[in-house]
Amino acid sequence: MNQDLDRLQPYPFEKLNRLKAGITPPAGLEHIALSIGEPKHQPPKFIAEELISHLHGLANYPLTKGRIELRQAIADWLTRRFALPSGSVDAERHVLPVAGTREALFAFAQVVVERNDKPLVVMPNPFYQIYEGAALLAGAEPWFLNTTARNGFLPDYDAVPESVWQRCQLLYLCSPGNPTGAVTDIATMQKLIALADRFDFIIASDECYSELYFDEQTPPPGLLQAAAAMGRNDFHRCVVFHSLSKRSNLPGLRSGFVAGDAQILERFLLYRTYQGCALPPPTQAASIKAWQDEKHVVVNRDYYRQKFAAVIEILKPVIAVEQPAGGFYLWLKTPGNDTDFTRELFAKQNVTVLPGSYLSRDAHGHNPGAGYVRLALVAEMDECVEAAQRIHEFLKSF
Ligand SMILES: Cc1ncc(COP(=O)(O)O)c(C=O)c1O
């Protein structure tokens, strides 16, 4: 057996199930789960229809590289969304569809990490757990960058020792971040690109929450945009990960893409050819329609905006709560321990949240997720409001 498998941590939800075991919440209150980041808004009908009308495509093996029409729809979307120079994203060389970003974020580390002298994969902490597992199974060590309220929940890249950058082969960036919603600005991305040049590493920018933001005038920037603004139109060392899961409420479709540096993507395609994770033809057809339409995304964003406003209004009198810059999570500082808070809230109000310490690791002397809980505002408005009211009640007596 691969010994590195023993180094994988249990997934946060396994820990959560253990935490809640043996507790019987009040029978009169329906359970509300704010713990899982699974979008629950209705997916657009026209996308489902496109999927169904292409079921005949199941008779063919799809190409790992995907249809050119899909790659072109993605290249066009990237160019529009991030105001990239016209023609800079070449659908042949710069884009690869993936079956959701989860598998792609994992597979990417297997492709880029060279098992030489003690490779490091640098990542935020708290973080999306796939980054850590990807690093470990690629034969690297994760290096955690703690994100705290003091630094606006963004890593302090200036504080990273040079010896760490020297061993860094891959850096995961997550903007807007899961779980904090913090957005990395263009200047910071450009600083990272300069560091990547100096120390010879690759940047994997997980932008799967990039379409969920609150100010319609200031969408979160992306890494390719930062690269292009430096005149780096070949996106050298830069790769971005995007998904239809959050943008279009299609987590079950398993559709996303990776885009950027053509040389890296060529190697990634080679790896993926062996892993065999091509998108089924109906999925590709539906994905084309999804990337071509922006209306449903605007409506989706507005719905989140309304839900955050309503929930924050209810929680404000009893706890410090701020709207994040992006994403669909509230990252709440708990009075006391995050696991006690989670257990008690479940016991008294039948609401499940996720302890922040399950999303982070002890690093550099402390655990930056401890003392926080993550609330995913993914359910419909009524349910989110009901959950907020119950948390309000709970906090009054906590
Ligand atoms: C930060 C982050 N990246 C990537 C993903 C994976 O999304 P998908 O595989 O649905 O594209 C998630 C899902 O929750 C996430 O939170």
Side-chain angles (χ1 to χ4, degrees):
M1 280 299 223
N2 182 344
Q3 304 280 311
D4 286 338
L5 285 170
D6 296 334
R7 305 180 67 202
L8 296 180
Q9 292 254 355
Y11 224 59
F13 302 106
E14 279 178 50
K15 296 184 191 173
L16 182 60
N17 287 341
R18 280 205 294 271
L19 180 74
K20 289 164 57 185
I23 302 173
T24 311
L29 293 174
E30 284 239 6
H31 180 237
I32 302 180
L34 301 181
S35 42
I36 303 182
E38 180 187 52
K40 297 259 190 261
H41 301 173
Q42 280 305 306
K45 264 212 185 86
F46 70 91
I47 297 176
E49 279 160 12
E50 191 71 4
L51 185 74
I52 292 164
S53 69
H54 283 80
L55 288 181
H56 57 271
L58 294 176
N60 302 105
Y61 271 124
L63 294 176
T64 305
K65 197 173 173 178
R67 282 168 56 196
I68 179 64
E69 292 85 350
L70 172 57
R71 281 179 278 119
Q72 191 58 56
I74 291 169
D76 293 344
W77 179 79
L78 271 174
T79 308
R80 278 197 308 276
R81 166 63 175 84
F82 295 105
L84 302 176
S86 165
S88 62
V89 184
D90 179 351
E92 274 304 333
R93 297 164 53 245
H94 292 133
V95 177
L96 208 50
V98 295
T101 47
R102 180 193 181 110
E103 67 91 0
L105 286 160
F106 176 83
F108 195 67
Q110 318 313 310
V111 174
V112 305
V113 171
E114 188 186 337
R115 292 167 186 255
N116 62 7
D117 240 9
K118 298 191 182 154
L120 286 179
V121 174
V122 175
M123 62 192 71
N125 184 34
F127 57 102
Y128 181 49
Q129 191 156 315
I130 296 297
Y131 310 151
E132 180 193 47
L136 292 171
L137 288 185
E141 288 299 323
W143 178 271
F144 296 114
L145 305 172
N146 292 349
T147 65
T148 61
R150 206 150 39 96
N151 50 29
F153 298 110
L154 291 166
D156 180 0
Y157 296 106
D158 293 331
V160 177
E162 192 156 320
S163 57
V164 168
W165 289 129
Q166 272 158 358
R167 286 171 54 204
C168 174
Q169 293 194 13
L170 172 64
L171 172 107
Y172 282 111
L173 182 68
C174 185
S175 176
N178 173 3
T180 68
V183 165
T184 302
D185 63 20
I186 291 214
T188 304
M189 290 180 178
Q190 292 180 334
K191 185 160 75 181
L192 291 173
I193 293 173
L195 280 166
D197 279 345
R198 185 161 157 224
F199 293 104
D200 187 21
F201 63 84
I202 290 167
I203 308 174
S205 184
D206 179 353
E207 301 177 3
C208 79
Y209 291 95
S210 71
E211 303 318 288
L212 303 185
Y213 52 89
F214 298 92
D215 177 1
E216 211 54 43
Q217 302 314 313
T218 48
L223 185 67
L224 299 189
Q225 185 180 2
M230 297 164 88
R232 198 180 179 99
N233 288 347
D234 61 355
F235 312 122
H236 187 43
R237 298 184 188 284
C238 298
V239 175
V240 296
F241 296 71
H242 282 270
S243 173
L244 290 175
S245 300
K246 333 288 185 200
R247 174 188 181 269
S248 302
N249 299 312
L250 292 164
L253 187 67
R254 309 312 301 133
S255 179
F257 70 82
V258 172
D261 185 319
Q263 279 178 339
I264 300 171
L265 289 198
E266 196 186 332
R267 306 304 284 170
F268 194 39
L269 175 61
L270 172 68
Y271 175 91
R272 294 176 59 75
T273 311
Y274 281 81
Q275 201 185 9
C277 39
L279 291 194
T283 306
Q284 293 195 43
S287 304
I288 293 171
K289 284 279 181 227
W291 290 115
Q292 284 173 340
D293 183 74
E294 216 52 46
K295 275 199 222 100
H296 73 280
V297 188
V298 175
V299 170
N300 193 33
R301 230 179 351 255
D302 192 48
Y303 199 24
Y304 278 115
R305 202 174 283 129
Q306 291 173 32
K307 289 198 297 183
F308 270 81
V311 167
I312 288 174
E313 197 56 34
I314 297 166
L315 293 181
K316 217 167 45 181
V318 285
I319 193 166
V321 52
E322 268 183 51
Q323 184 175 276
F328 53 44
Y329 301 110
L330 274 180
W331 186 237
L332 279 190
K333 188 155 177 48
T334 52
N337 182 298
D338 54 313
T339 46
D340 290 348
F341 179 95
T342 302
R343 211 177 27 229
E344 287 294 300
L345 176 65
F346 177 63
K348 299 222 164 79
Q349 296 289 346
N350 207 3
V351 172
T352 305
V353 297
L354 191 63
S357 56
Y358 292 0
L359 295 163
S360 54
R361 301 285 175 258
D362 279 323
H364 321 297
H366 85 296
N367 184 329
Y372 285 86
V373 285
R374 191 188 77 174
L375 277 55
L377 300 192
V378 288
E380 297 294 341
M381 174 69 100
D382 292 0
E383 213 178 313
C384 287
V385 164
E386 164 83 25
Q389 282 161 347
R390 290 198 215 163
I391 296 173
H392 179 119
E393 274 311 300
F394 171 72
L395 277 166
K396 278 204 301 197
S397 59
F398 189 72

